[in-house]
Amino acid sequence: MPDTAFRKPRSLDNCEFCGQCVSTCPTGALTDRRGRGKGRSYDMTKVRTTCSYCGTGCNFDLNVKNGKVIKVTSAYDAPVNHGNLCIKGRYGYEFIHSADRIKTPLIRRGDTFHEATWDEAIELIASKFTELIKNYGNKSVGAFSSSRCTNEENFLIAKFARTVFRNNNVDNCARV
């Protein structure tokens, strides 16, 4: 028999507004406010993707209309999360179209940042690492990754540190 999570009583006191009830509503009586009035589901293209908020690897569908993400819907055939999403996975997509989003590398010159090409940015980073290692030794540099990365990405940053920096100075924000 269906019930609330952990058999908690239904009340706004324990609701986290994660949208799971909207996702699983069998009649469509509950709708997502962010996507309401922006188009019918058959007008949107669904693009399957992996959530970027943690390394769990939950899958969901971005509902795209006219090149813009309108809403996120659950992917019930997803092997990791089976249609369940946390609040960040379901509603944390507005950064995609933010006017403040940085889309090109920035290099500091004096007190200001200037747009650069990817090649310029990577060359600058490589030269700074080379200079640090030359002046202070290979133990002076390291790599710091994120739990928002996949296991494969975290493996690559660790491999990078061990093969390029030739040390084990690797850390992750999830360690604490």
Side-chain angles (χ1 to χ4, degrees):
M1 172 171 232
D3 200 354
T4 60
F6 308 108
R7 298 185 180 261
K8 288 185 177 181
R10 288 184 181 99
S11 100
L12 291 178
D13 294 337
N14 63 14
C15 179
E16 296 180 13
F17 299 101
C18 68
Q20 192 66 21
C21 57
V22 174
S23 172
T24 57
C25 178
T27 63
L30 300 174
T31 59
D32 186 350
R33 183 184 303 170
R34 286 190 177 176
R36 194 177 301 148
K38 294 184 179 175
R40 303 276 184 193
S41 59
Y42 54 80
D43 292 331
M44 298 180 202
T45 304
K46 290 191 178 215
V47 179
R48 180 67 51 94
T49 190
T50 302
C51 184
S52 64
Y53 279 98
C54 74
T56 302
C58 295
N59 294 155
F60 54 74
D61 293 321
L62 296 175
N63 292 252
V64 180
K65 182 179 178 185
N66 298 327
K68 186 167 181 159
V69 175
I70 302 298
K71 64 181 180 177
V72 167
T73 52
S74 300
Y76 294 101
D77 60 340
V80 174
N81 55 309
H82 306 288
N84 298 308
L85 292 174
C86 70
I87 192 168
K88 289 179 183 177
R90 188 177 312 279
Y91 296 118
Y93 61 88
E94 289 187 345
F95 71 91
I96 296 171
H97 303 294
S98 171
D100 297 330
R101 187 171 180 190
I102 297 172
K103 297 179 181 177
T104 59
L106 300 176
I107 292 178
R108 182 190 302 262
R109 292 190 185 116
D111 290 341
T112 59
F113 288 98
H114 299 276
E115 287 188 4
T117 66
W118 283 102
D119 287 340
E120 290 173 317
I122 291 170
E123 284 178 30
L124 176 66
I125 292 166
S127 69
K128 295 290 185 181
F129 276 133
T130 302
E131 183 180 332
L132 284 169
I133 292 169
K134 181 181 172 194
N135 293 336
Y136 303 103
N138 69 323
K139 301 280 189 198
S140 65
V141 295
F144 191 82
S145 190
S146 170
S147 59
R148 290 178 69 175
C149 295
T150 63
N151 287 336
E152 293 81 4
E153 290 164 332
N154 281 316
F155 171 79
L156 288 174
I157 196 72
K159 186 173 183 177
F160 173 81
R162 291 182 177 111
T163 56
V164 176
F165 299 155
R166 294 191 177 105
N167 67 41
N168 291 318
N169 294 346
V170 180
D171 206 347
N172 185 296
C173 63
R175 177 182 52 82
V176 217

